[in-house]
Amino acid sequence: SFSIAVPLAPVSEVRKPAGIAVAPRSRRFAHAPLVVCIDDERQVREGMAALLGSWGCETVLGESAEEILGAIERAGRIPDLLLIDLHLANGENGFSIISRLRRHWAADLPAALITANRDPANLAIARTQRVDVLLKPVKPAQLRALIAQRAASAE
């Protein structure tokens, strides 16, 4: 074993230089984007809802396209972004669900696959289908940047 001895320094107040104002950074988007999240793990969906909700996003969560379609009809608007897990327990994959939802709304909705799979073939398919890929573990800053970019292009 080993130890380290470090002397304590006196506590001092940190002061901001005079004349510099620091504006608080808004954590919320200008308008509340509607984000769909499909994942077969309940904890992942709940975590996404908490994170996205803290940014001011509205979320619709589900395990399948059927769940999402019913919830979106009740919301009365088309989603701004689809966040879909690539591998789902019911045998479907994220690519098929994104295609199905885009066909349903007859719109090329912004979409992102969430996956730990780094297979170049999947990345190539994503590029051809205009789908972003977020690799697990997803970094909140990366997800927020994607949402901000999609929200800006929609305005």
Side-chain angles (χ1 to χ4, degrees), residues 34 58 60 70-77:
L34 179 59
E58 294 179 38
V60 177
I72 292 291
E73 297 305 320
R74 288 187 294 278
R77 63 186 259 218

Side-chain angles (χ1 to χ4, degrees), residues 33-38 58-62 64-82 101 104-105 109:
L34 179 59
V35 180
V36 164
C37 181
I38 297 179
E58 294 179 38
T59 57
V60 177
L61 312 171
S64 67
E66 290 75 25
E67 276 186 75
I68 294 301
L69 290 171
I72 292 291
E73 297 305 320
R74 288 187 294 278
R77 63 186 259 218
I78 295 176
D80 296 299
L81 178 64
L82 306 173
L101 295 176
H104 177 79
W105 284 299
L109 298 173

Side-chain angles (χ1 to χ4, degrees), residues 6-7 27 32 43 62 64 68 79 82-83 102 108 112-113 131 135-136 145 149 151 154:
V6 179
R27 295 185 51 113
Q43 292 172 330
S64 67
I68 294 301
L82 306 173
L83 294 176
R102 284 175 169 172
D108 189 21
L113 281 176
V131 173
L135 296 172
K136 292 180 181 180
Q149 179 184 21

Side-chain angles (χ1 to χ4, degrees), residues 87-109:
H87 300 290
L88 299 166
N90 61 7
E92 284 190 288
N93 68 43
F95 289 119
S96 64
I97 290 182
I98 290 168
S99 295
R100 181 173 173 197
L101 295 176
R102 284 175 169 172
R103 277 193 313 272
H104 177 79
W105 284 299
D108 189 21
L109 298 173

Side-chain angles (χ1 to χ4, degrees), residues 16 21-29 54-55 140-146 148:
K16 293 180 187 171
V22 179
R25 188 174 155 187
S26 173
R27 295 185 51 113
R28 300 178 86 70
F29 293 101
S54 73
W55 295 337
Q142 183 183 18
L143 178 57
R144 184 170 170 77
L146 176 69

